[in-house]
Amino acid sequence: MSEKAFQRIYTKLSAITKATVTLEAQGVANDELALVAGRLAQVVKIKDNAVTLQVFGGTEDIPTNAEVTFFGEPPSLNVSDELAGRFFNAYGEPIDGGPAVEGEKRQIGGPSVNPFKRRQPSQLIPTGIAGIDLNNTLVSGQKIPFFADPDQPYNQVMSMVALRADVDKIILGGMGLSNDDYLFFKNQFESAGALHKIISFVNTTDQPPVERLLIPDMALTAAEYFAVDKNEKVLVLLTDMTLYADALSIVSNRMDQIPSKDSMPGSLYSDLAKIYEKAVQLPDGGSITIIAVTTLNDGDITHAIPDNTGYITEGQLFLRADPDSGKVIVDPFRSLSRLKQLVQNKKTREDHSAVMNTSVRLYADAANAKTKLENGFDLSDYDLRCLDYAKEYATRLLAIDVNISIEEMLDTGWELFGKYFTKAETGLKEKLIEKYWKDKE
Amino acid sequence: MKTTGKVTGIIANLVTVEVDGPVAQNEICFIDLDGVELMAEVIKVNGNKASVQVFESTRGLQIGDKVEFQGYMLEVTLGPGLLSSNFDGLQNNLATMEGVFLKRGEYTKALDEEKLWDFTPLAKAGDHVVAADWLGEVKEGWLPHKIMVPFNFKGTYTVKNVVAAGQYKITDTVATLTNADGEEVKVTMTQKWPVKVAVGGYVEKPRPFKVMETGVRCIDTLNPIAEGGTGFIPGPFGCGKTVLQHALAEQADADIIIMAACGERANEVVEIFTEFPELKDKHTGRSLMERTIIICNTSNMPVAAREASVYTAMTLGEYYRAMGMKVLLLADSTSRWAQALREMSNRLEELPGQDGFPVDLSAIISNFYARAGYVKLNNGQSGSITFIGTVSPAGGNLKEPVTESTKKAARCFYGLSQNRADKKRYPAVDPVDSYSKYLEYPEIIEYLDEKIEKGWVDKVTKTKYIIRRGKDAYEQINILGDDGVPMSYHEQYWKSELVDFVILQQDAFDDIDGSTPLERQKFMLDLVLEICDRSFKFDNFEECTTYFKGLINICRQMNYSEYKSEQFEKYLGQLKEELKHE
């Protein structure tokens, strides 16, 4: 980012907090960028001549006589095909040693797509993971987060999904990524030979938290360039949105806003929606699909961050360790893909939704049986069969290390029904039973 | 002369303006940002400073930018052509906007002013008329769209003339009226109305006395909603609020459906755009889109317009109600609207109420719900607005201000339960907690006696009792174990499961099961109650479980079969056979 020579330089700050500075200045526009003692800052409030700036790099050791210059424009990113294969920081500056990107300068956080111009998402994104493809099928243009405790391998699963998905570009927005995880992503992409279609915007844990606020908008501006201008299929990975929301609360706190639930700003819903709603299926074939990560505190989805996220996104993928099978599974109860019915039975076999619903219902019966067992009650024959079924279902279909086609997933489902249950116990439509039922071998 | 002003402060979309003349609360103004006009509404005035909420992003706005006040409140344009349209929260027509992205400051006309409509007069010279009286009619597709005396006309007028039948544009004069002082006023086919003011123009608003059929069994059978009634659907995310709302929009027995997508996902609106034109209205056979109006302020669209969107939707509903139409208004979700109020209240630095919401939240919500209702029009005809809103309680906890305030205002409560959703028992409407106050209305009981059969409500009460007893039995079984309770507990529990699986659960995505007419609902309920009335003698609980699972399976196959078809009768025969050896 370059300074403009004719801009006036201010040198008198009237207030400093941990995240913001305030000064008297004229002719300043809302949202525009400035440099405060060499650090990038953005206008967040103007009252008469008092301008409040949010300093992305933090305000440590900024003196009251720090130099402030205004840029006269909001944050932007240079977009062109040169973005592909590159790594950037939160400001869109290269961190891979390469040259700056030449291209059209676009303001980040731009307008939203006219809902009437959108198309209905209808393209299946197969991942090979049955917990996703069978139970929570993903569709291009969807937005969906992984809900996971910090000890779950969410970044691994996400990179696996990204590399298996058939897309033109993968854009990684890393917020508060540990250096190790950043290198993990880099290695994964490199060893898959996919670097040419990857673009990364990364803020690591050793960088100031407020910088993270720029990451999603940077990533999505790049995504819109490829999806809208180039009609490409773009997959955006955002990890970890909980750390993004934490940064929002830091800024609103410093601006003395009244916090709402869990000390989050009252605008959290709108702030998150602005990002997730960039997911879109465009009329000319381009699409933006967003897969995000929201880390949870001990599985608590009632916290304001996962709660608001759940209301915005089109479902969630819930990872948890399953003690019975010893595997990390995609929890079939808590996970949901809201767009799955757009492709199930249409782009997949006719028995897809029936197999999915029945296998999950039987898994729920197994959960009841397990409760009975834990309470020291005798189990019925049905209960025992459910428990056996559950273990095999978890191992062969729910575990994240599964990599099979959807057809195989459905066949496995029928195999398990036949192995453990009678036709009546499954409650499946007779038409399907006639065609697909597999008797116990 | 218009009042003007200058921007003196900006925080997000709250802008303070120093004004040079009078301004009114809720007055609309435009802020000039380098030639782009940003629409805003006055929400607070203090001395010569007006606080306005801008309906767009304020990026790039500067101190000193010019503001012009308009002298009117936020209003909508009413007239033929509203039907089948897709508007944003401020009634801009989304279909006529250019480009893929919404441009800031781009406002499009709600109605086509060039289109010619076939007008037929209904009033004649010498008639005495008041606001909302019908002067003429145009064919808006299938709908006889009434051209009315504008709602803001006060007192009685005499019709001087009405134009002859023929083709006219909405801006053409179609009638001339004379007021008490002999002044002449011209009436066109279009009028404007401020959205935050309830439209009057009716004689009385009696208590609702009819039931609106929705085809959703857990509503119609268990907790019916009245035509002109109010209800709400609170539920955590992922419990099927949207699917339920769409089912209502598709199947409800209403003339007109208005859907306000308020701060929700754009893809859900796209689903309606895409599917409704293809789907058939089961009552008339016409395309569903022909009876639908969409007001769309998705979650990424400007927050301030979100509040406006629900009012815009309600005003359009009132307009069609005044024509004698049966309107169903659906708002998804009213929590987003409340959150928009909270954001603004927060920026205005008002003292917050519970959870940071404004203290008058409850009053605002009650006021809004009160605009629904069944009305008798001046000419003896009737019209209605049935309103169902969804609520998205934070963390799924119903003890939060929006749910609590709405509970006071709405008469039906369809609580979605996480537990049922986890078990994939859809629709996840909790059968124990949910209620319809209308079942207590003598008018409604009488109506159902006549419409379905005498004593129907008693059957409903009995069904609810079975469900409640089943729940109690289930809890006991869980505490004491399968062998620790008498056999009758198992029987009780499985009878309630029968009701649950056959009556309550419904596959919204199945062509046949998705929508159940009242007649069929009665048939199935009678069938299920007949089974529940029997007492069985089982030797052990496993026998009981297996037996009932068999019955449930057959009944479900019936639900999936065409009513009274050969297949249906085959399953019915199977069921009767099963029941012989109890």
mmCIF file of all heavy atoms in Angstrom, chain B residues 519-558:
data_model
loop_
_atom_site.group_PDB
_atom_site.id
_atom_site.type_symbol
_atom_site.label_atom_id
_atom_site.label_comp_id
_atom_site.label_asym_id
_atom_site.label_seq_id
_atom_site.Cartn_x
_atom_site.Cartn_y
_atom_site.Cartn_z
ATOM 1 N N GLU B 519 -60.004 -34.308 4.921
ATOM 2 C CA GLU B 519 -60.792 -35.536 4.906
ATOM 3 C C GLU B 519 -59.906 -36.742 5.230
ATOM 4 O O GLU B 519 -60.244 -37.604 6.028
ATOM 5 C CB GLU B 519 -61.422 -35.698 3.515
ATOM 6 C CG GLU B 519 -62.452 -36.815 3.444
ATOM 7 C CD GLU B 519 -62.678 -37.276 2.017
ATOM 8 O OE1 GLU B 519 -62.351 -36.530 1.059
ATOM 9 O OE2 GLU B 519 -63.152 -38.420 1.855
ATOM 10 N N ARG B 520 -58.747 -36.756 4.595
ATOM 11 C CA ARG B 520 -57.812 -37.850 4.814
ATOM 12 C C ARG B 520 -57.249 -37.799 6.237
ATOM 13 O O ARG B 520 -57.025 -38.832 6.864
ATOM 14 C CB ARG B 520 -56.687 -37.747 3.778
ATOM 15 C CG ARG B 520 -55.716 -38.886 3.884
ATOM 16 C CD ARG B 520 -54.688 -38.878 2.776
ATOM 17 N NE ARG B 520 -53.813 -40.021 2.967
ATOM 18 C CZ ARG B 520 -53.073 -40.562 2.022
ATOM 19 N NH1 ARG B 520 -53.083 -40.055 0.809
ATOM 20 N NH2 ARG B 520 -52.311 -41.594 2.283
ATOM 21 N N GLN B 521 -57.013 -36.581 6.730
ATOM 22 C CA GLN B 521 -56.521 -36.440 8.108
ATOM 23 C C GLN B 521 -57.516 -37.059 9.088
ATOM 24 O O GLN B 521 -57.147 -37.719 10.049
ATOM 25 C CB GLN B 521 -56.291 -34.966 8.448
ATOM 26 C CG GLN B 521 -55.173 -34.326 7.639
ATOM 27 C CD GLN B 521 -54.771 -32.957 8.174
ATOM 28 O OE1 GLN B 521 -54.868 -32.695 9.356
ATOM 29 N NE2 GLN B 521 -54.284 -32.103 7.300
ATOM 30 N N LYS B 522 -58.801 -36.817 8.815
ATOM 31 C CA LYS B 522 -59.840 -37.357 9.688
ATOM 32 C C LYS B 522 -59.821 -38.882 9.623
ATOM 33 O O LYS B 522 -59.857 -39.559 10.644
ATOM 34 C CB LYS B 522 -61.209 -36.839 9.263
ATOM 35 C CG LYS B 522 -62.346 -37.482 10.035
ATOM 36 C CD LYS B 522 -63.697 -37.030 9.522
ATOM 37 C CE LYS B 522 -64.829 -37.659 10.301
ATOM 38 N NZ LYS B 522 -64.923 -39.124 10.150
ATOM 39 N N PHE B 523 -59.730 -39.425 8.406
ATOM 40 C CA PHE B 523 -59.734 -40.865 8.229
ATOM 41 C C PHE B 523 -58.607 -41.511 9.023
ATOM 42 O O PHE B 523 -58.805 -42.477 9.751
ATOM 43 C CB PHE B 523 -59.602 -41.201 6.735
ATOM 44 C CG PHE B 523 -59.649 -42.667 6.448
ATOM 45 C CD1 PHE B 523 -60.857 -43.304 6.230
ATOM 46 C CD2 PHE B 523 -58.476 -43.428 6.423
ATOM 47 C CE1 PHE B 523 -60.904 -44.668 5.978
ATOM 48 C CE2 PHE B 523 -58.513 -44.784 6.168
ATOM 49 C CZ PHE B 523 -59.738 -45.409 5.951
ATOM 50 N N MET B 524 -57.401 -40.960 8.881
ATOM 51 C CA MET B 524 -56.242 -41.553 9.550
ATOM 52 C C MET B 524 -56.338 -41.405 11.060
ATOM 53 O O MET B 524 -55.967 -42.301 11.807
ATOM 54 C CB MET B 524 -54.931 -40.957 9.031
ATOM 55 C CG MET B 524 -54.557 -41.352 7.613
ATOM 56 S SD MET B 524 -54.615 -43.140 7.280
ATOM 57 C CE MET B 524 -53.144 -43.710 8.112
ATOM 58 N N LEU B 525 -56.834 -40.253 11.514
ATOM 59 C CA LEU B 525 -56.941 -40.062 12.965
ATOM 60 C C LEU B 525 -57.956 -41.059 13.544
ATOM 61 O O LEU B 525 -57.706 -41.663 14.588
ATOM 62 C CB LEU B 525 -57.342 -38.622 13.301
ATOM 63 C CG LEU B 525 -57.295 -38.314 14.803
ATOM 64 C CD1 LEU B 525 -55.857 -38.290 15.308
ATOM 65 C CD2 LEU B 525 -57.968 -37.003 15.144
ATOM 66 N N ASP B 526 -59.073 -41.230 12.843
ATOM 67 C CA ASP B 526 -60.070 -42.195 13.310
ATOM 68 C C ASP B 526 -59.472 -43.594 13.411
ATOM 69 O O ASP B 526 -59.677 -44.307 14.381
ATOM 70 C CB ASP B 526 -61.274 -42.218 12.348
ATOM 71 C CG ASP B 526 -62.181 -41.024 12.575
ATOM 72 O OD1 ASP B 526 -62.064 -40.397 13.660
ATOM 73 O OD2 ASP B 526 -62.984 -40.692 11.688
ATOM 74 N N LEU B 527 -58.695 -43.927 12.366
ATOM 75 C CA LEU B 527 -58.075 -45.246 12.317
ATOM 76 C C LEU B 527 -57.136 -45.455 13.509
ATOM 77 O O LEU B 527 -57.171 -46.461 14.208
ATOM 78 C CB LEU B 527 -57.304 -45.360 11.001
ATOM 79 C CG LEU B 527 -56.789 -46.724 10.601
ATOM 80 C CD1 LEU B 527 -57.962 -47.646 10.320
ATOM 81 C CD2 LEU B 527 -55.916 -46.601 9.352
ATOM 82 N N VAL B 528 -56.304 -44.448 13.738
ATOM 83 C CA VAL B 528 -55.316 -44.533 14.811
ATOM 84 C C VAL B 528 -56.003 -44.559 16.181
ATOM 85 O O VAL B 528 -55.639 -45.340 17.054
ATOM 86 C CB VAL B 528 -54.311 -43.356 14.699
ATOM 87 C CG1 VAL B 528 -53.517 -43.201 15.973
ATOM 88 C CG2 VAL B 528 -53.381 -43.568 13.516
ATOM 89 N N LEU B 529 -57.022 -43.717 16.328
ATOM 90 C CA LEU B 529 -57.718 -43.682 17.623
ATOM 91 C C LEU B 529 -58.433 -45.000 17.885
ATOM 92 O O LEU B 529 -58.515 -45.447 19.032
ATOM 93 C CB LEU B 529 -58.710 -42.516 17.662
ATOM 94 C CG LEU B 529 -58.088 -41.125 17.803
ATOM 95 C CD1 LEU B 529 -59.166 -40.060 17.904
ATOM 96 C CD2 LEU B 529 -57.172 -41.044 19.023
ATOM 97 N N GLU B 530 -58.930 -45.614 16.830
ATOM 98 C CA GLU B 530 -59.613 -46.890 16.998
ATOM 99 C C GLU B 530 -58.632 -47.928 17.562
ATOM 100 O O GLU B 530 -58.973 -48.693 18.463
ATOM 101 C CB GLU B 530 -60.172 -47.343 15.647
ATOM 102 C CG GLU B 530 -61.141 -48.501 15.759
ATOM 103 C CD GLU B 530 -61.138 -49.358 14.516
ATOM 104 O OE1 GLU B 530 -61.205 -48.795 13.403
ATOM 105 O OE2 GLU B 530 -61.033 -50.591 14.654
ATOM 106 N N ILE B 531 -57.423 -47.917 17.035
ATOM 107 C CA ILE B 531 -56.404 -48.844 17.546
ATOM 108 C C ILE B 531 -56.075 -48.506 19.001
ATOM 109 O O ILE B 531 -55.952 -49.382 19.848
ATOM 110 C CB ILE B 531 -55.132 -48.798 16.671
ATOM 111 C CG1 ILE B 531 -55.463 -49.174 15.230
ATOM 112 C CG2 ILE B 531 -54.039 -49.706 17.246
ATOM 113 C CD1 ILE B 531 -54.331 -49.016 14.240
ATOM 114 N N CYS B 532 -55.957 -47.202 19.284
ATOM 115 C CA CYS B 532 -55.583 -46.786 20.636
ATOM 116 C C CYS B 532 -56.677 -47.146 21.647
ATOM 117 O O CYS B 532 -56.407 -47.308 22.834
ATOM 118 C CB CYS B 532 -55.307 -45.288 20.684
ATOM 119 S SG CYS B 532 -53.798 -44.842 19.835
ATOM 120 N N ASP B 533 -57.928 -47.224 21.172
ATOM 121 C CA ASP B 533 -59.035 -47.556 22.073
ATOM 122 C C ASP B 533 -59.023 -49.028 22.500
ATOM 123 O O ASP B 533 -59.630 -49.393 23.490
ATOM 124 C CB ASP B 533 -60.378 -47.259 21.386
ATOM 125 C CG ASP B 533 -60.741 -45.799 21.517
ATOM 126 O OD1 ASP B 533 -60.145 -45.140 22.401
ATOM 127 O OD2 ASP B 533 -61.585 -45.305 20.742
ATOM 128 N N ARG B 534 -58.378 -49.852 21.698
ATOM 129 C CA ARG B 534 -58.346 -51.271 22.042
ATOM 130 C C ARG B 534 -57.402 -51.517 23.206
ATOM 131 O O ARG B 534 -56.447 -50.765 23.395
ATOM 132 C CB ARG B 534 -57.818 -52.090 20.864
ATOM 133 C CG ARG B 534 -58.730 -52.057 19.678
ATOM 134 C CD ARG B 534 -58.036 -52.694 18.506
ATOM 135 N NE ARG B 534 -58.911 -52.615 17.354
ATOM 136 C CZ ARG B 534 -59.307 -53.667 16.647
ATOM 137 N NH1 ARG B 534 -58.871 -54.878 16.938
ATOM 138 N NH2 ARG B 534 -60.110 -53.522 15.618
ATOM 139 N N SER B 535 -57.685 -52.588 23.965
ATOM 140 C CA SER B 535 -56.657 -52.952 24.938
ATOM 141 C C SER B 535 -56.101 -54.308 24.517
ATOM 142 O O SER B 535 -56.827 -55.176 24.032
ATOM 143 C CB SER B 535 -57.215 -52.991 26.358
ATOM 144 O OG SER B 535 -58.376 -53.755 26.379
ATOM 145 N N PHE B 536 -54.814 -54.411 24.630
ATOM 146 C CA PHE B 536 -54.114 -55.581 24.116
ATOM 147 C C PHE B 536 -53.598 -56.417 25.280
ATOM 148 O O PHE B 536 -53.430 -55.914 26.391
ATOM 149 C CB PHE B 536 -52.943 -55.146 23.248
ATOM 150 C CG PHE B 536 -53.358 -54.339 22.051
ATOM 151 C CD1 PHE B 536 -53.502 -52.951 22.126
ATOM 152 C CD2 PHE B 536 -53.606 -54.958 20.833
ATOM 153 C CE1 PHE B 536 -53.882 -52.210 21.022
ATOM 154 C CE2 PHE B 536 -53.989 -54.228 19.727
ATOM 155 C CZ PHE B 536 -54.127 -52.852 19.821
ATOM 156 N N LYS B 537 -53.357 -57.680 24.996
ATOM 157 C CA LYS B 537 -52.758 -58.523 26.034
ATOM 158 C C LYS B 537 -51.457 -59.095 25.489
ATOM 159 O O LYS B 537 -51.461 -60.049 24.709
ATOM 160 C CB LYS B 537 -53.720 -59.657 26.401
ATOM 161 C CG LYS B 537 -54.925 -59.126 27.163
ATOM 162 C CD LYS B 537 -55.641 -60.222 27.918
ATOM 163 C CE LYS B 537 -56.759 -59.646 28.750
ATOM 164 N NZ LYS B 537 -57.621 -58.687 28.000
ATOM 165 N N PHE B 538 -50.378 -58.479 25.876
ATOM 166 C CA PHE B 538 -49.077 -58.964 25.419
ATOM 167 C C PHE B 538 -48.408 -59.757 26.541
ATOM 168 O O PHE B 538 -48.567 -59.424 27.716
ATOM 169 C CB PHE B 538 -48.186 -57.799 25.018
ATOM 170 C CG PHE B 538 -48.717 -57.025 23.841
ATOM 171 C CD1 PHE B 538 -49.202 -55.728 24.004
ATOM 172 C CD2 PHE B 538 -48.728 -57.593 22.570
ATOM 173 C CE1 PHE B 538 -49.692 -55.022 22.929
ATOM 174 C CE2 PHE B 538 -49.218 -56.877 21.487
ATOM 175 C CZ PHE B 538 -49.703 -55.597 21.674
ATOM 176 N N ASP B 539 -47.654 -60.776 26.155
ATOM 177 C CA ASP B 539 -46.953 -61.567 27.157
ATOM 178 C C ASP B 539 -45.702 -60.864 27.646
ATOM 179 O O ASP B 539 -45.324 -60.958 28.798
ATOM 180 C CB ASP B 539 -46.576 -62.937 26.588
ATOM 181 C CG ASP B 539 -47.821 -63.776 26.329
ATOM 182 O OD1 ASP B 539 -48.837 -63.505 27.012
ATOM 183 O OD2 ASP B 539 -47.783 -64.655 25.452
ATOM 184 N N ASN B 540 -45.052 -60.200 26.731
ATOM 185 C CA ASN B 540 -43.859 -59.469 27.146
ATOM 186 C C ASN B 540 -43.703 -58.227 26.285
ATOM 187 O O ASN B 540 -44.382 -58.058 25.273
ATOM 188 C CB ASN B 540 -42.617 -60.359 27.047
ATOM 189 C CG ASN B 540 -42.442 -60.908 25.647
ATOM 190 O OD1 ASN B 540 -42.317 -60.148 24.694
ATOM 191 N ND2 ASN B 540 -42.468 -62.230 25.504
ATOM 192 N N PHE B 541 -42.805 -57.352 26.699
ATOM 193 C CA PHE B 541 -42.729 -56.050 26.024
ATOM 194 C C PHE B 541 -42.181 -56.172 24.608
ATOM 195 O O PHE B 541 -42.489 -55.376 23.746
ATOM 196 C CB PHE B 541 -41.932 -55.048 26.853
ATOM 197 C CG PHE B 541 -40.461 -55.312 26.913
ATOM 198 C CD1 PHE B 541 -39.618 -54.785 25.939
ATOM 199 C CD2 PHE B 541 -39.912 -56.060 27.951
ATOM 200 C CE1 PHE B 541 -38.266 -55.015 25.980
ATOM 201 C CE2 PHE B 541 -38.560 -56.302 27.994
ATOM 202 C CZ PHE B 541 -37.726 -55.788 27.011
ATOM 203 N N GLU B 542 -41.361 -57.197 24.370
ATOM 204 C CA GLU B 542 -40.819 -57.344 23.018
ATOM 205 C C GLU B 542 -41.927 -57.656 22.025
ATOM 206 O O GLU B 542 -41.920 -57.202 20.890
ATOM 207 C CB GLU B 542 -39.747 -58.437 22.982
ATOM 208 C CG GLU B 542 -38.520 -58.009 23.758
ATOM 209 C CD GLU B 542 -37.231 -58.575 23.210
ATOM 210 O OE1 GLU B 542 -37.172 -58.820 21.996
ATOM 211 O OE2 GLU B 542 -36.300 -58.762 24.000
ATOM 212 N N GLU B 543 -42.890 -58.422 22.495
ATOM 213 C CA GLU B 543 -44.029 -58.755 21.648
ATOM 214 C C GLU B 543 -44.827 -57.484 21.314
ATOM 215 O O GLU B 543 -45.213 -57.248 20.172
ATOM 216 C CB GLU B 543 -44.915 -59.748 22.410
ATOM 217 C CG GLU B 543 -45.951 -60.423 21.552
ATOM 218 C CD GLU B 543 -46.938 -61.228 22.402
ATOM 219 O OE1 GLU B 543 -46.801 -61.240 23.643
ATOM 220 O OE2 GLU B 543 -47.833 -61.818 21.827
ATOM 221 N N CYS B 544 -44.985 -56.662 22.358
ATOM 222 C CA CYS B 544 -45.700 -55.390 22.203
ATOM 223 C C CYS B 544 -44.988 -54.511 21.176
ATOM 224 O O CYS B 544 -45.585 -53.973 20.255
ATOM 225 C CB CYS B 544 -45.774 -54.693 23.570
ATOM 226 S SG CYS B 544 -46.386 -53.016 23.528
ATOM 227 N N THR B 545 -43.670 -54.405 21.350
ATOM 228 C CA THR B 545 -42.864 -53.567 20.465
ATOM 229 C C THR B 545 -42.982 -54.038 19.011
ATOM 230 O O THR B 545 -43.252 -53.241 18.110
ATOM 231 C CB THR B 545 -41.381 -53.642 20.903
ATOM 232 O OG1 THR B 545 -41.320 -53.302 22.275
ATOM 233 C CG2 THR B 545 -40.526 -52.684 20.109
ATOM 234 N N THR B 546 -42.803 -55.328 18.813
ATOM 235 C CA THR B 546 -42.839 -55.864 17.462
ATOM 236 C C THR B 546 -44.210 -55.656 16.833
ATOM 237 O O THR B 546 -44.325 -55.289 15.670
ATOM 238 C CB THR B 546 -42.513 -57.378 17.490
ATOM 239 O OG1 THR B 546 -41.429 -57.575 18.383
ATOM 240 C CG2 THR B 546 -42.151 -57.887 16.120
ATOM 241 N N TYR B 547 -45.249 -55.893 17.650
ATOM 242 C CA TYR B 547 -46.608 -55.764 17.136
ATOM 243 C C TYR B 547 -46.873 -54.330 16.654
ATOM 244 O O TYR B 547 -47.321 -54.099 15.535
ATOM 245 C CB TYR B 547 -47.605 -56.162 18.225
ATOM 246 C CG TYR B 547 -49.037 -56.125 17.770
ATOM 247 C CD1 TYR B 547 -49.531 -57.092 16.904
ATOM 248 C CD2 TYR B 547 -49.904 -55.108 18.194
ATOM 249 C CE1 TYR B 547 -50.847 -57.060 16.471
ATOM 250 C CE2 TYR B 547 -51.215 -55.064 17.767
ATOM 251 C CZ TYR B 547 -51.691 -56.042 16.907
ATOM 252 O OH TYR B 547 -52.986 -56.006 16.481
ATOM 253 N N PHE B 548 -46.570 -53.375 17.510
ATOM 254 C CA PHE B 548 -46.844 -51.987 17.149
ATOM 255 C C PHE B 548 -45.970 -51.505 15.996
ATOM 256 O O PHE B 548 -46.406 -50.731 15.158
ATOM 257 C CB PHE B 548 -46.707 -51.067 18.368
ATOM 258 C CG PHE B 548 -47.977 -50.940 19.142
ATOM 259 C CD1 PHE B 548 -48.202 -51.691 20.277
ATOM 260 C CD2 PHE B 548 -48.970 -50.068 18.711
ATOM 261 C CE1 PHE B 548 -49.388 -51.573 20.982
ATOM 262 C CE2 PHE B 548 -50.162 -49.953 19.409
ATOM 263 C CZ PHE B 548 -50.369 -50.710 20.547
ATOM 264 N N LYS B 549 -44.730 -51.978 15.965
ATOM 265 C CA LYS B 549 -43.860 -51.591 14.838
ATOM 266 C C LYS B 549 -44.477 -52.054 13.530
ATOM 267 O O LYS B 549 -44.423 -51.342 12.526
ATOM 268 C CB LYS B 549 -42.473 -52.188 15.007
ATOM 269 C CG LYS B 549 -41.599 -51.338 15.904
ATOM 270 C CD LYS B 549 -40.166 -51.774 15.848
ATOM 271 C CE LYS B 549 -39.331 -50.898 16.765
ATOM 272 N NZ LYS B 549 -38.001 -51.437 16.989
ATOM 273 N N GLY B 550 -45.096 -53.246 13.585
ATOM 274 C CA GLY B 550 -45.759 -53.750 12.392
ATOM 275 C C GLY B 550 -46.912 -52.850 11.977
ATOM 276 O O GLY B 550 -47.043 -52.486 10.809
ATOM 277 N N LEU B 551 -47.728 -52.466 12.966
ATOM 278 C CA LEU B 551 -48.866 -51.583 12.659
ATOM 279 C C LEU B 551 -48.393 -50.258 12.085
ATOM 280 O O LEU B 551 -48.936 -49.750 11.101
ATOM 281 C CB LEU B 551 -49.680 -51.307 13.934
ATOM 282 C CG LEU B 551 -50.349 -52.480 14.645
ATOM 283 C CD1 LEU B 551 -51.234 -51.963 15.783
ATOM 284 C CD2 LEU B 551 -51.194 -53.301 13.673
ATOM 285 N N ILE B 552 -47.350 -49.693 12.738
ATOM 286 C CA ILE B 552 -46.830 -48.398 12.293
ATOM 287 C C ILE B 552 -46.362 -48.506 10.848
ATOM 288 O O ILE B 552 -46.649 -47.637 10.019
ATOM 289 C CB ILE B 552 -45.681 -47.932 13.219
ATOM 290 C CG1 ILE B 552 -46.245 -47.494 14.568
ATOM 291 C CG2 ILE B 552 -44.896 -46.791 12.584
ATOM 292 C CD1 ILE B 552 -45.210 -47.212 15.627
ATOM 293 N N ASN B 553 -45.669 -49.586 10.556
ATOM 294 C CA ASN B 553 -45.139 -49.766 9.206
ATOM 295 C C ASN B 553 -46.267 -49.773 8.173
ATOM 296 O O ASN B 553 -46.185 -49.098 7.150
ATOM 297 C CB ASN B 553 -44.318 -51.053 9.152
ATOM 298 C CG ASN B 553 -43.596 -51.196 7.835
ATOM 299 O OD1 ASN B 553 -43.168 -50.195 7.264
ATOM 300 N ND2 ASN B 553 -43.473 -52.409 7.340
ATOM 301 N N ILE B 554 -47.340 -50.487 8.465
ATOM 302 C CA ILE B 554 -48.458 -50.547 7.506
ATOM 303 C C ILE B 554 -49.105 -49.169 7.347
ATOM 304 O O ILE B 554 -49.368 -48.717 6.234
ATOM 305 C CB ILE B 554 -49.516 -51.584 7.950
ATOM 306 C CG1 ILE B 554 -48.873 -52.969 8.063
ATOM 307 C CG2 ILE B 554 -50.676 -51.620 6.965
ATOM 308 C CD1 ILE B 554 -49.767 -54.012 8.704
ATOM 309 N N CYS B 555 -49.324 -48.494 8.474
ATOM 310 C CA CYS B 555 -49.951 -47.166 8.416
ATOM 311 C C CYS B 555 -49.098 -46.191 7.620
ATOM 312 O O CYS B 555 -49.605 -45.340 6.894
ATOM 313 C CB CYS B 555 -50.183 -46.607 9.815
ATOM 314 S SG CYS B 555 -51.440 -47.502 10.728
ATOM 315 N N ARG B 556 -47.782 -46.322 7.778
ATOM 316 C CA ARG B 556 -46.893 -45.412 7.033
ATOM 317 C C ARG B 556 -46.976 -45.698 5.542
ATOM 318 O O ARG B 556 -46.938 -44.786 4.725
ATOM 319 C CB ARG B 556 -45.462 -45.531 7.540
ATOM 320 C CG ARG B 556 -45.226 -44.669 8.778
ATOM 321 C CD ARG B 556 -43.908 -45.001 9.420
ATOM 322 N NE ARG B 556 -42.781 -44.609 8.593
ATOM 323 C CZ ARG B 556 -42.092 -43.491 8.778
ATOM 324 N NH1 ARG B 556 -42.459 -42.647 9.713
ATOM 325 N NH2 ARG B 556 -41.061 -43.226 8.033
ATOM 326 N N GLN B 557 -47.064 -46.955 5.196
ATOM 327 C CA GLN B 557 -47.209 -47.289 3.775
ATOM 328 C C GLN B 557 -48.506 -46.675 3.243
ATOM 329 O O GLN B 557 -48.568 -46.213 2.109
ATOM 330 C CB GLN B 557 -47.222 -48.813 3.560
ATOM 331 C CG GLN B 557 -45.995 -49.561 4.079
ATOM 332 C CD GLN B 557 -44.710 -49.239 3.335
ATOM 333 O OE1 GLN B 557 -44.715 -48.588 2.300
ATOM 334 N NE2 GLN B 557 -43.580 -49.666 3.887
ATOM 335 N N MET B 558 -49.527 -46.656 4.098
ATOM 336 C CA MET B 558 -50.787 -46.016 3.697
ATOM 337 C C MET B 558 -50.575 -44.535 3.442
ATOM 338 O O MET B 558 -51.071 -43.983 2.469
ATOM 339 C CB MET B 558 -51.849 -46.203 4.791
ATOM 340 C CG MET B 558 -52.427 -47.596 4.853
ATOM 341 S SD MET B 558 -53.541 -47.807 6.269
ATOM 342 C CE MET B 558 -54.981 -46.920 5.724
#
